Amino acid sequence: MEQKTYTISIYSENNVGLLSRVSAIFLKRHINIDSLNTSMSEIEDIFRFVIVAKLTEEQVNKIVKQIEKQIEVIKAFYHTDEETIFQESALYKVKSNSLFEQRQIQNVIKKSHANIVTVNPEFFVIEKTGFREETEQLYNELAPYGLLQFVRSGRISVTKSPMEITHILKEFSK
Amino acid sequence: MSTKPTLSDPKGPITGAEAIVRSLAAEGADLIYGYPGGAIMPVYDELYKFQDHINHILVRHEQGAAHAAQGFARVSGKVGVCIATSGPGATNLVTGIADAMIDSTPLVCITGQVPSHLLGSDAFQETDIIGISTPVTKWSYQITMVEEIPAIIAKAFYIARSGRPGPVLIDITKDAQFASADFSYQPCTRIRSYKPVPPTAETDLVQAAELINQAKNPMIVWGQGVILGQAEEEFRAFVEKSGVPAAWTILGVSAIETAHPLNVGMVGMHGNYGPNLLTNECDVLIATGMRFDDRVTGDLSTYAKQAKIIHFEIDPAEVNKNVEVDVAVMGDVKHTLAAIMPHIETKTYTEWLGRFKELDAIEFDKVIDAEINPTKSGLTMGEVIKTINANSKGDAVIVTDVGQHQMIACRYAEFVQSKSNITSGGLGTMGFALPAALGAKMGAPEREVVAVIGDGGFQMNIQELGTIFQTQAAVKIVILNNDFLGMVRQWQQLFFDKRYASTEMVNPDFVRIAEGYFIDAKRVTEREEMTAAVAEMMKSDKPYLLEVCVEKENNVFPMIPSGASVSDIRLE
Ligand SMILES: Cc1ncc(C[n+]2csc(CCOP(=O)(O)OP(=O)(O)O)c2C)c(N)n1
Ligand SMILES: [Mg+2]
């Protein structure tokens, strides 16, 4: 079966151990996680994981069931790229003198719709949010000027369809 | 001398250690297995004070505590409890926890931990037991604050026993055991994010019933779910009304009696000829509380492809995991089997049942007869089991270890009541039987408990003879000694050109070892003595060890070679 990029969204109670329970499910099946992000969700006290991995539909289906089986997990979903709106953020730290000495770099920044987060005499930091190709393109364009640091976040995503967690929680309390 | 504590609610704050013991008592855990050490000593001090309420059994190795708690749980249907210190005490539990996880046994395991201010400092006997046990527990939690104790222990018992049962580990730092807080105990009945039993859809019931009613050659395969769900009566009613021949997985056996006319034997690698072959001929396969383990299915691409498959299951993650099913009836089998009854037509399948009988006759001629009625000199494992049956009238709890003796015992032991076969199925843990038999005897003291163990596996938890001696639990231990790691030797013979790499054992004198523990013991090598010795053992009301020297190089058949189809089952 064909592998695809799937985004797994998990709504859970906050628990110290849950992250390792979830990653153990991948480890046990010898599957790589491409990115993982945890944050608060739209509901108070409920947390959200967003995990991206390349899987077959059969694999993702079974993994999501194993995730849902964990005591603190309220609900888990999986979606393809077409079914989600997703973004990643990247930060690029560059030497300040290149900003002033190489006029080209200013064009690069402008063209890429990146933001300058901070500038000081030694370095400046650019932030770019978008698809993987966009943050990668900016990386390639900035690399020749010397990148002091580069970092990219995990994918965050929302789905086009509703997730109805509030409704599911009500079901649980029945 | 201070007066002995009672279980009524304490006035004023108590220590965490006392709260742990009171919480266990509140859950009805009056029999627990464990081993003391630094990080759990405050709890042991309280166990000393509460010894009139909780009987703590000192095992000889923490693995023994976990398996004993499993044996207790499986024979009684209650939650088994074991307790250990931090570090090596906790890691020694892990095999038993993994075994309980894969065989869905409800356990609450309590481990001591270094004081919270030392966590992460590589303190003496600090080990990350939560991290180590995460993949093999249904749930785990580390308590660092005394106030958390009653609620977390309540949650632990609820999670361990509800839905699909499993092991829970609670790690408690020593400072939380020493600190004090007010105590009141509220059992846990609900967790917001946890739905132990999925809802049953009426449409699935109706669809399943239609398939069953229209079937020409249906077959049931039932597993431990029937026993875990305490659904034996509902299951029997379903089998008898539908008239469908029913086969069992190794963990399902004893849910209905061996002699039941619709009981057609065991499926799987060393199961019976009929149910394995006919799995690939039935038109509707009704899987009931089982999970299509690979030892049951063999090659999945040739497993029951011709059949419509119905799956009665409590765990959504098991549905379509190994085998795609046509109808999944979700829920607790006690409920779903009762709910489907009004839709089921009363039927009999005389001709189809006849097919099972024909194949039984072939298996009897080719395999069974020589195993249970041998004429050649040299004892077989099967005739020993047959002799145990004759003495127990099928009413004993048979606890088996892992290997050839396990397969022979499960194939030939007869059962008249449920919860009578305790074995390590999913994990295949050698060393399981001796401690599990102790736990089983203590969980059902009125029942005869016979442990059937290989010479290899016996030596994996042999130290528990000490616990059996100290408790005088009247466990009957039968060592089927072939001086080999027999099951591995069988595979070497069949698949590795008889290269017997590291499977031959030079064994000690098991009788003298038992005698060293003041346990009555006997060794037999001849048929005539064996029959008498089994009878003598069964009559004893004390622990007893019987070593039976059996043929060294016998094989277990039938056999589905690993990775082969159930249709390729071999009789020789
Ligand atoms: C802890 C553990 N280690 C290794 C094995 C692999 N194994 C399965 S059966 C077996 C042989 C068991 O020998 P014995 O206890 O003498 O039983 P027999 O097969 O001879 O009846 C072995 C080594 C296992 N199941 N468990
Ligand atoms: Mg052996």
Side-chain angles (χ1 to χ4, degrees), chain A residues 17-65:
Chain A
L18 189 58
L19 180 59
S20 85
R21 283 196 170 267
V22 169
S23 66
I25 289 169
F26 287 84
L27 177 63
K28 186 175 176 186
R29 291 163 181 74
H30 202 100
I31 291 170
N32 259 330
I33 292 177
D34 289 344
S35 90
L36 187 154
N37 186 86
T38 72
S39 70
M40 55 189 272
S41 74
E42 65 274 22
I43 303 160
E44 212 184 309
D45 291 338
I46 288 180
F47 280 72
R48 181 156 173 182
F49 292 58
V50 175
I51 299 174
V52 181
K54 278 182 206 64
L55 300 162
T56 65
E57 169 133 38
E58 187 185 332
Q59 280 176 320
V60 72
N61 192 338
K62 288 179 186 175
I63 284 175
V64 162
K65 283 185 183 173

Side-chain angles (χ1 to χ4, degrees), chain B residues 52 80 86 89 91 104 140 188 245 259 371 459 486 499 534:
Chain B
D52 289 348
S86 65
T91 56
S104 308
S140 56
C188 175
E371 186 63 47
Q459 294 179 75
R499 289 185 296 276
V534 169

Side-chain angles (χ1 to χ4, degrees), chain B residues 454-460 462 479-486 503-511 513 523 547-549 552:
Chain B
D455 46 313
F458 183 65
Q459 294 179 75
M460 277 212 181
I462 194 168
I479 302 177
L480 296 178
N481 184 2
N482 52 11
D483 286 319
F484 267 110
L485 298 174
T503 43
E504 195 169 355
M505 301 242 277
V506 178
N507 279 320
D509 184 333
F510 292 119
V511 170
I513 287 175
R523 174 186 308 107
E547 176 190 351
V548 184
C549 299
K552 286 176 191 268

Side-chain angles (χ1 to χ4, degrees), chain A residues 21 62 65 69 71-72, chain B residues 137 139 193 315 319 321:
Chain A
R21 283 196 170 267
K62 288 179 186 175
K65 283 185 183 173
K69 193 164 145 173
I71 305 292
E72 283 97 358
Chain B
T137 46
W139 187 63
S193 57
D315 178 358
V319 174
K321 187 183 80 175

Side-chain angles (χ1 to χ4, degrees), chain B residues 323-382:
Chain B
V323 172
E324 283 280 334
V325 302
D326 296 276
V327 185
V329 182
M330 300 310 301
D332 187 335
V333 278
K334 192 170 180 71
H335 162 73
T336 52
L337 287 176
I340 203 169
M341 281 297 274
H343 305 287
I344 296 290
E345 290 166 12
T346 306
K347 283 200 172 175
T348 49
Y349 297 90
T350 318
E351 221 169 285
W352 171 234
L353 197 58
R355 293 285 316 276
F356 286 89
K357 296 209 173 112
E358 280 162 30
L359 294 167
D360 276 353
I362 297 174
E363 183 179 344
F364 186 85
D365 286 345
K366 288 251 160 90
V367 178
I368 300 175
D369 198 21
E371 186 63 47
I372 64 175
N373 307 312
T375 46
K376 286 195 280 195
S377 71
L379 286 163
T380 65
M381 293 183 176

Side-chain angles (χ1 to χ4, degrees), chain A residues 13 15-17 20-21 24 28 44-46 58 62 65-66 68-74 169 171-174, chain B residues 130-131 133-135 137-141 155 159 164 190-195 315-322:
Chain A
E13 306 281 4
N15 180 277
V16 213
S20 85
R21 283 196 170 267
K28 186 175 176 186
E44 212 184 309
D45 291 338
I46 288 180
E58 187 185 332
K62 288 179 186 175
K65 283 185 183 173
Q66 293 296 337
E68 273 196 350
K69 193 164 145 173
Q70 304 307 315
I71 305 292
E72 283 97 358
V73 171
I74 293 158
L169 271 180
E171 283 291 300
F172 270 116
S173 29
K174 268 185 197 163
Chain B
I130 294 289
S133 66
T134 291
T137 46
K138 187 173 172 187
W139 187 63
S140 56
Y141 190 83
K155 211 170 149 179
I159 291 170
R164 178 175 179 180
R190 198 172 68 80
I191 295 169
R192 174 166 83 158
S193 57
Y194 170 53
K195 195 140 216 166
D315 178 358
E318 290 298 345
V319 174
N320 297 330
K321 187 183 80 175
N322 295 338

Side-chain angles (χ1 to χ4, degrees), chain B residues 231-294:
Chain B
E232 290 91 345
E233 283 321 304
E234 291 78 4
F235 181 62
R236 170 190 305 279
F238 170 69
V239 170
E240 288 174 358
K241 187 173 185 193
S242 68
V244 178
W248 37 274
T249 71
I250 197 166
L251 292 184
V253 66
S254 90
I256 53 177
E257 68 276 14
T258 314
H260 193 286
L262 290 170
N263 183 339
V264 293
M266 173 161 80
V267 288
M269 185 172 270
H270 293 289
N272 293 110
Y273 195 50
N276 271 315
L277 275 184
L278 297 180
T279 297
N280 277 358
E281 288 182 34
C282 67
D283 61 349
V284 175
L285 184 70
I286 309 160
T288 311
M290 58 83 84
R291 60 182 179 87
F292 296 105
D293 181 89
D294 57 282

